[in-house]
């Protein structure tokens, strides 16, 4: 009975995390929310007023998914390195990458959701122009700064490193399907490449395509690997 309850809890975590990520990131991509960085204040205001309810729901879902991704990754890590005695440095390093990303994952989403009422107030026709300008400049600064913290550091670098390490270990140890491991390592490589602009490297049109592929494939891989991992450790 305890094993069954643990398995059901594991499935609940994996499915909830996958659905939250899939809904949140897909909806934001369809809305082209990620194209607002550097956009004029008038365009940001029009976008917010037109898509407010769906935007809030998708941002909240993405934030929840980013946080729940941590226990999903811990479950997959446990299954991947299960049976190692003594546990090698790779298992410890993989756990360190997951825990290091945790405090950074919700920052961007939480800040933007919190700032949303101020942005809406500043976008009203009767709003003070100076206050409106200051509000939107603050929004763009936070958008860029916290996007770097959450996406580039927590997801692309720490998360991408975890994908590569766990994927390669999975592929070679065969505790989980080797093909799944190779796919995970490939997704991790795409995440790492997606952080190139943080280091001043320009990828041209690939700079838009690679993060999109990684962002879509990552949650699906976590969902599939998570389901198999729950079955392995319970």
């Amino acid at each position: 009975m305890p094993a069954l309850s643990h398995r059901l809890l594991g499935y609940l975590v994996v499915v909830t995390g996958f659905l939250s990520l899939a809904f949140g990131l897909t909806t934001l991509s369809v809305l082209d929310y990620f194209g607002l960085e550097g956009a004029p204040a008038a365009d940001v205001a029009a976008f917010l007023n037109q898509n407010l309810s769906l935007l809030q729901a998708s941002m909240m879902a993405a934030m929840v998914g980013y946080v729940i991704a941590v226990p999903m990754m811990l479950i997959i890590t446990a299954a991947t390195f299960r049976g190692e005695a003594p546990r090698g440095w790779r298992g410890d390093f993989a756990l360190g990458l997951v825990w290091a990303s945790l405090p950074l994952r919700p920052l961007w989403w939480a800040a933007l959701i919190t700032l949303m009422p101020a942005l809406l107030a500043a976008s009203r026709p009767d709003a003070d122009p100076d206050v409106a300008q200051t509000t939107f400049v603050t929004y763009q600064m936070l958008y860029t700064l916290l996007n770097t913290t959450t996406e580039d550091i927590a997801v692309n670098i720490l998360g991408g490193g975890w994908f590569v390490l766990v994927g390669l270990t999975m592929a070679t140890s065969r505790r989980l399907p080797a093909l799944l491991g190779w796919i995970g390592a490939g997704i991790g490589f795409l995440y790492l490449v997606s952080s190139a602009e943080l280091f001043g490297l320009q990828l041209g049109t690939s700079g838009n395509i690679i993060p999109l592929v990684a962002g879509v494939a990552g949650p699906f891989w976590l969902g599939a690997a998570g389901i198999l991992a729950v079955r392995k450790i319970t």
Side-chain angles (χ1 to χ4, degrees):
M1 185 63 70
L4 178 59
S5 62
H6 291 164
R7 178 171 292 188
L8 291 176
L9 179 60
Y11 286 150
L12 178 62
V13 168
V14 171
V15 172
T16 302
F18 166 72
L19 291 178
S20 297
L21 285 171
F23 169 74
L25 296 179
T26 300
T27 305
L28 290 169
S29 296
V30 170
L31 292 175
D32 196 24
Y33 172 74
F34 302 107
L36 286 181
E37 184 174 5
D43 292 348
V44 175
F47 179 89
L48 293 177
N49 283 289
Q50 182 178 356
N51 303 289
L52 178 61
S53 298
L54 187 56
L55 180 62
Q56 288 178 320
S58 55
M59 289 180 70
M60 184 63 70
M63 183 177 69
V64 170
Y66 267 39
V67 174
I68 296 181
V70 169
M72 293 172 71
M73 294 163 77
L74 292 175
I75 291 171
I76 296 169
T77 302
T80 300
F81 295 95
R82 186 181 181 89
E84 285 195 355
R87 188 174 65 188
W89 68 268
R90 293 182 303 175
D92 291 332
F93 192 64
L95 290 175
L97 290 173
V98 176
W99 287 116
S101 73
L102 176 58
L104 304 179
R105 286 177 170 272
L107 286 180
W108 187 37
W109 308 103
L112 296 183
I113 291 171
T114 303
L115 190 58
M116 198 74 65
L119 283 169
L120 290 172
S123 68
R124 292 201 308 262
D126 59 345
D128 184 299
D130 292 334
V131 173
Q133 180 64 22
T134 301
T135 301
F136 280 101
V137 168
T138 302
Y139 166 80
Q140 291 290 7
M141 290 176 59
L142 286 175
Y143 188 107
T144 301
L145 176 62
L146 296 181
N147 179 34
T148 298
T149 301
T150 295
E151 286 292 321
D152 288 329
I153 298 177
V155 176
N156 292 337
I157 296 177
L158 298 177
W162 177 88
F163 265 87
V164 170
L165 180 57
V166 169
L168 290 177
T169 303
M170 190 183 296
T172 54
S173 68
R174 300 185 181 277
R175 294 186 181 92
L176 291 170
L179 178 60
L180 189 65
W182 290 119
I183 293 173
I187 293 171
F189 176 76
L190 294 180
Y191 274 123
L192 291 173
V193 172
S194 297
S195 65
E197 292 185 358
L198 181 62
F199 303 98
L201 302 175
Q202 300 299 322
L203 300 177
T205 55
S206 298
N208 295 323
I209 298 174
I210 292 176
L212 178 61
V213 173
V216 171
F220 280 93
W221 188 91
L222 286 175
I227 292 295
L228 294 175
V230 170
R231 293 173 59 88
K232 187 76 173 178
I233 63 176
T234 56

